[in-house]
Amino acid sequence: MKRKECIKAYAYLLPCLILASVFFLYPFLNTLISSLLRINTSGVVLGFAGLSNYALLFKDKSFQNSILRTLLFTSLFVPLNTFLTLLASSLTARKIKGFGPVETIFFLPVAISLSGATLIFKEMFRGRVSIINRLLGLEIDWLNERFPAMLTLVFLGVFLDFGIDYILLLTSFRAIDKRVLEAAEIDGASSAQIYFHIELPLIMRMLLMTVFLAIKDALLIVAPIIILTEGGPFRSTETILFYYYIEAFKSGNRAVQNTVSTLMVLSAALVMVIYSLIFHRRDKK
Amino acid sequence: MKKILIFAFTLFLILPLFSSGEREKGVTIITIWHPNSGLIGEAFEELVNDFNQTVGKDENIQIEAVYQGLANDVLTKVKAAAISKTLPDIAQMDATAATDMNNADYLVTMRDLGLREEEILINARNAFSSEKGLLAMPFNASSLLLYYNKDVFEENGVEPPKTFDEFIEIADKIGEKDEKGNVTRYALQGVPTTFELTSFIGAQNGLSYIVNKKNGHEGLPTEVLFGKEGTYKAFLEKWKELFDTGYLNSITSGVSTEFASGRSATMLQSSSNLSTVIDSVGDNFRVGVSEIPMVNEKATGGVAPSGGAMFAFTNSSEVRKVLEYFMRDDVQLKWAELTGYIPLNVNVYESEEYRDFIKENPNFHVAMSALNGSNPNLTNLWLPSAYQIYYSFQKNIDDVVNERITIDAAVDEMVTTIKDALESYEAQNIV
């Protein structure tokens, strides 16, 4: 009987397993093995390379630069994104009459396509006479100066992720059992105490998830860069995947293709492992 | 009954997936992937339609032109199509494709096709020639030009600069500052990349290369030349001097917008943008173009040709006929008139119609005469990791003008960058 159940379970899992192995496991193993080979631009295998492809990659100054840029982007983007989405969802957590449109506005970025939003940003930040400068009374040439270009990218990243993170946090705020909050109120807890000691811990799981999603998005950011800055000005926004895009796709460098893909999968896996470890520990408590 | 109906309905739905489109018997379809859009796209459609209705009709050949994005996107798709064996007959790509195509076993060279090459302008021919001969038929050629604001130049009584020294001298005349000392109009905006440098470095001493083996046309380069020949240094010194006048703005995006809005008196751009620039400037001011300023008096080599060519992947007489059509003098003339590209059939230059055309459009003549007057051996650069090197040059030049590194250190840095790219390419590709 038990054995039968087991077979049944695997039978249900089978389609998923097949899909996962065809579309994930096989390509990954293929890439991993290819990263240890010498492959020319036409895709012909010339021999075994060992780790020399990785050595060449890490020696490449452009790659080193791209790692630093990605870390800079991540360290700016993740805190800002988390802070703003948490702020917006906290402020709108209680249903207040007439606030429906506000929620819609916060959620709206989800409905705008990535390239559309990026092009709008490009226009808003273009040149010294840009709309943003007029609004804020600034004199910054956002897309032509190194750090401002990075900031523009961070703002764009927040805009793109805001809607989905906001709705995730908002629903978890609203899923909190009202009785607990009411009980605390009757016991004389202030709103600050309720927020920091009851609400925040209760949504922590979702908050952590949005943080890890943000980290993943930051590590993998490339499409907005292709449209907005092309890695510029002067390589100041050239992230790992943008480096990968121009070297592997545009220049057909197979070694970069395979080594960077492998490293990115491994680093994403690492982030996920850390995430599940944290969860495991929390759940055990 | 119901089942039969459902079956019939399903059949009706999936049938279009299998229909291959009825085609007239005996007609050969030649597929061309191209990057022509906007005004240029319309012009290309016109040439294709002309072919299909004249030569094509007589010879039972029909061209099917498929737009595939930017020239470099066409390359990406060609490489993918080569793996899945779904290559088009012809693809129009630019010089960034040359290194890949030179190594590709699926390329059909012009020698293989038996195409007559003598009528093609030698500079353009050299731009797409390797040790294997002419890889592709040059089709849309352009060259680097100095665009200038004619009104500003005339108001201040200055001529477009012939050398960088002249440019430095007139910078404060064509540039403008407000009372507070903020620049309201720059003399020049932009940062050179590989494209501009092949000309700025290449023109020096009559002919100079960035790397050996004729800028990579005769095999993978083994040596970077601009370092020890001092050509890059000579350029950087002049560029820095121009920057120090305070009227050069080191920006990498929005250059055309700045020029069109009158905030830049000049800009360096390919002649292929001429009709677009004139269009976007509109009535703001009159646009003039001139040959690019020379780095010094000895930089007499002219400009390197840029633009694209038709790469063939099918060896057939039909493909040859299509390419021959595109090289015909009347077709090349029409193409030039519609787009501003440089006519590549040398016979065009003797025709009456061409002379009338350039009389009416003197701006279009500048690029043509600039390229015609250039050293035919001055060619574009074929390098692996071309995009990395492109961005490296910009960063390098910006670091120099903002004094983050010295000129000598900058030259060394670029030499190392290119050497590393070559070494890494060699490690992977040379057996």
Side-chain angles (χ1 to χ4, degrees):
Chain A
M1 186 64 193
K2 227 178 179 182
R3 202 190 150 102
K4 213 175 161 189
E5 288 282 293
C6 206
I7 291 171
K8 210 171 161 186
Y10 276 107
Y12 281 128
L13 272 175
L14 198 64
C16 251
L17 288 175
I18 292 174
L19 284 178
S21 34
V22 169
F23 289 106
F24 178 75
L25 206 59
Y26 169 72
F28 174 65
L29 289 177
N30 195 346
T31 311
L32 180 71
I33 294 166
S34 303
S35 74
L36 305 173
L37 302 173
R38 282 177 64 211
I39 303 175
N40 73 8
T41 44
S42 317
V44 180
V45 179
L46 299 179
F48 187 67
L51 289 173
S52 72
N53 285 338
Y54 289 93
L56 271 176
L57 180 71
F58 282 102
K59 212 189 105 190
D60 188 348
K61 284 223 175 66
S62 311
F63 182 64
Q64 294 167 6
N65 171 60
S66 74
I67 295 177
L68 291 178
R69 297 292 137 196
T70 310
L71 290 179
L72 178 63
F73 177 80
T74 311
S75 60
L76 289 170
F77 167 76
V78 176
L80 189 67
N81 186 53
T82 312
F83 175 73
L84 287 178
T85 44
L86 186 61
L87 187 69
S89 55
S90 306
L91 289 176
T92 51
R94 302 263 159 83
K95 274 192 180 159
I96 303 168
K97 251 199 177 162
F99 262 56
V102 177
E103 282 170 37
T104 316
I105 290 170
F106 283 155
F107 184 58
L108 211 58
V110 173
I112 303 176
S113 80
L114 185 149
S115 36
T118 312
L119 283 174
I120 292 170
F121 263 67
K122 201 172 177 173
E123 281 310 315
M124 280 167 53
F125 285 87
R126 190 193 288 279
R128 245 170 245 283
V129 288
S130 64
I131 300 168
I132 291 293
N133 280 353
R134 294 260 173 108
L135 284 176
L136 304 175
L138 296 171
E139 269 278 313
I140 304 169
D141 195 349
W142 290 92
L143 297 175
N144 273 311
E145 289 171 34
R146 299 182 191 203
F147 191 64
M150 180 57 97
L151 279 183
T152 313
L153 198 62
V154 171
F155 298 149
L156 174 63
V158 170
F159 181 81
L160 290 172
D161 269 13
F162 191 88
I164 192 73
D165 288 352
Y166 167 74
I167 212 77
L168 286 175
L169 289 178
L170 188 71
T171 44
S172 43
F173 266 121
R174 291 202 174 150
I176 296 174
D177 192 345
K178 294 285 172 297
R179 284 172 302 181
V180 182
L181 301 179
E182 276 161 19
E185 233 169 280
I186 291 164
D187 286 345
S190 69
S191 356
Q193 279 173 322
I194 293 179
Y195 181 72
F196 285 108
H197 294 292
I198 301 175
E199 287 184 297
L200 214 49
L202 282 173
I203 64 139
M204 196 48 91
R205 187 173 188 136
M206 191 55 89
L207 186 65
L208 264 179
M209 200 177 99
T210 58
V211 168
F212 276 90
L213 280 177
I215 293 175
K216 181 215 77 170
D217 282 348
L219 288 178
L220 299 181
I221 187 166
V222 61
I225 299 175
I226 295 173
I227 305 170
L228 189 70
T229 63
E230 290 182 61
F234 316 112
R235 327 195 82 168
S236 57
T237 54
E238 205 178 299
T239 59
I240 296 175
L241 277 197
F242 184 79
Y243 165 85
Y244 170 83
Y245 166 69
I246 59 173
E247 194 57 29
F249 270 80
K250 295 213 153 195
S251 299
N253 187 333
R254 300 270 174 167
V256 165
Q257 224 168 64
N258 296 320
T259 49
V260 175
S261 307
T262 309
L263 291 174
M264 288 319 277
V265 171
L266 291 180
S267 63
L270 185 72
V271 171
M272 284 343 268
V273 167
I274 296 172
Y275 169 78
S276 54
L277 278 180
I278 293 175
F279 262 61
H280 229 71
R281 240 194 30 223
R282 285 180 54 82
D283 289 350
K284 263 188 192 162
K285 268 184 193 169
Chain B
M1 187 60 202
K2 206 173 164 191
K3 267 186 187 164
I4 297 173
L5 267 179
I6 290 173
F7 178 72
F9 185 66
T10 322
L11 207 64
F12 174 72
L13 278 182
I14 62 168
L15 214 60
L17 297 176
F18 295 101
S19 76
S20 58
E22 278 291 308
R23 270 169 187 165
E24 278 179 69
K25 273 188 188 135
V27 173
T28 314
I29 305 283
I30 300 292
T31 317
I32 302 181
W33 288 1
H34 68 90
N36 308 308
S37 62
L39 284 174
I40 295 170
E42 284 165 28
F44 187 68
E45 282 293 317
E46 215 176 309
L47 297 191
V48 167
N49 286 339
D50 282 355
F51 176 88
N52 286 344
Q53 275 151 28
T54 57
V55 187
K57 215 169 195 179
D58 300 340
E59 305 261 359
N60 279 333
I61 307 169
Q62 292 292 297
I63 299 177
E64 205 171 67
V66 187
Y67 172 71
Q68 292 283 24
L70 302 174
N72 195 260
D73 298 330
V74 180
L75 171 65
T76 311
K77 287 172 190 172
V78 162
K79 285 196 279 186
I83 295 167
S84 60
K85 308 234 181 299
T86 50
L87 279 166
D89 299 296
I90 298 169
Q92 182 192 348
M93 297 183 279
D94 63 13
T96 54
T99 320
D100 280 309
M101 290 302 114
N102 194 29
N103 295 331
D105 50 9
Y106 48 85
L107 181 79
V108 178
T109 68
M110 295 303 110
R111 198 186 294 158
D112 300 337
L113 271 176
L115 193 90
R116 284 196 327 142
E117 299 171 11
E118 302 79 52
E119 288 177 350
I120 309 174
L121 190 72
I122 177 92
N123 309 55
R125 231 191 297 159
N126 284 343
F128 286 97
S129 291
S130 75
E131 71 277 12
K132 288 183 184 168
L134 186 59
L135 298 181
M137 192 200 75
F139 176 58
N140 50 316
S142 51
S143 74
L144 186 63
L145 289 178
L146 182 74
Y147 288 68
Y148 64 95
N149 186 324
K150 234 180 188 165
D151 291 353
V152 169
F153 273 70
E154 276 174 20
E155 276 163 30
N156 295 290
V158 287
E159 290 287 310
K162 295 214 161 47
T163 62
F164 267 83
D165 287 330
E166 281 181 34
F167 208 160
I168 292 157
E169 224 165 86
I170 64 164
D172 61 340
K173 294 198 185 98
I174 55 174
E176 208 175 59
K177 279 182 184 167
D178 61 10
E179 312 87 65
K180 280 183 266 170
N182 294 324
V183 181
T184 50
R185 186 174 60 233
Y186 287 97
L188 175 65
Q189 302 204 44
V191 187
T193 62
T194 326
F195 169 51
E196 288 87 356
L197 288 169
T198 34
S199 293
F200 283 134
I201 289 175
Q204 290 185 45
N205 305 317
L207 175 68
S208 298
Y209 289 121
I210 290 180
V211 290
N212 71 346
K213 303 216 174 160
K214 276 195 169 180
N215 269 354
H217 284 245
E218 292 177 345
L220 188 71
T222 50
E223 221 181 326
V224 184
L225 297 177
F226 64 65
K228 59 178 187 187
E229 291 180 358
T231 45
Y232 185 42
K233 186 177 176 175
F235 163 77
L236 282 177
E237 280 168 353
K238 294 293 171 197
W239 191 258
K240 173 86 171 76
E241 221 177 300
L242 187 60
F243 182 82
D244 288 342
T245 62
Y247 291 101
L248 170 65
N249 192 18
S250 197
I251 59 166
T252 54
S253 72
V255 171
S256 302
T257 322
E258 291 286 292
F259 179 74
S261 65
R263 289 172 48 83
S264 184
T266 67
M267 68 169 174
L268 291 160
Q269 286 260 318
S270 154
S271 65
S272 60
N273 295 334
L274 189 52
S275 35
T276 319
V277 171
I278 292 174
D279 198 50
S280 65
V281 168
D283 296 329
N284 287 353
F285 54 86
R286 287 172 303 142
V287 179
V289 288
S290 76
E291 293 183 20
I292 56 166
M294 302 191 292
V295 172
N296 50 43
E297 266 77 33
K298 281 196 237 154
T300 52
V303 284
S306 47
M310 299 273 190
F311 292 81
F313 306 114
T314 310
N315 194 349
S316 70
S317 62
E318 286 85 1
V319 167
R320 199 189 67 235
K321 278 174 191 153
V322 168
L323 292 181
E324 276 168 356
Y325 164 80
F326 281 123
M327 191 38 74
R328 248 167 50 184
D329 48 1
D330 57 324
V331 176
Q332 275 293 316
L333 179 62
K334 187 172 184 184
W335 179 235
E337 285 178 351
L338 290 172
T339 61
Y341 280 124
I342 300 167
L344 292 174
N345 188 319
V346 287
N347 299 334
V348 172
Y349 295 93
E350 273 132 47
S351 73
E352 196 64 36
E353 216 183 329
Y354 173 71
R355 283 194 207 118
D356 290 344
F357 170 67
I358 55 173
K359 212 177 277 168
E360 269 171 53
N361 303 280
N363 273 346
F364 284 95
H365 180 56
V366 179
M368 299 168 192
S369 68
L371 189 62
N372 272 311
S374 297
N375 189 326
N377 287 318
L378 175 49
T379 59
N380 45 11
L381 183 64
W382 291 5
L383 272 185
S385 301
Y387 282 83
Q388 290 291 343
I389 292 164
Y390 175 101
Y391 293 120
S392 297
F393 266 125
Q394 283 191 325
K395 180 173 185 294
N396 189 262
I397 293 169
D398 186 65
D399 283 344
V400 165
V401 295
N402 287 305
E403 290 172 6
R404 288 191 186 91
I405 45 172
T406 63
I407 289 180
D408 286 321
V411 174
D412 287 345
E413 190 183 274
M414 274 323 294
V415 171
T416 318
T417 303
I418 296 180
K419 259 191 193 156
D420 285 351
L422 290 172
E423 263 167 38
S424 129
Y425 185 84
E426 201 181 339
Q428 288 161 55
N429 288 280
I430 309 299
V431 189

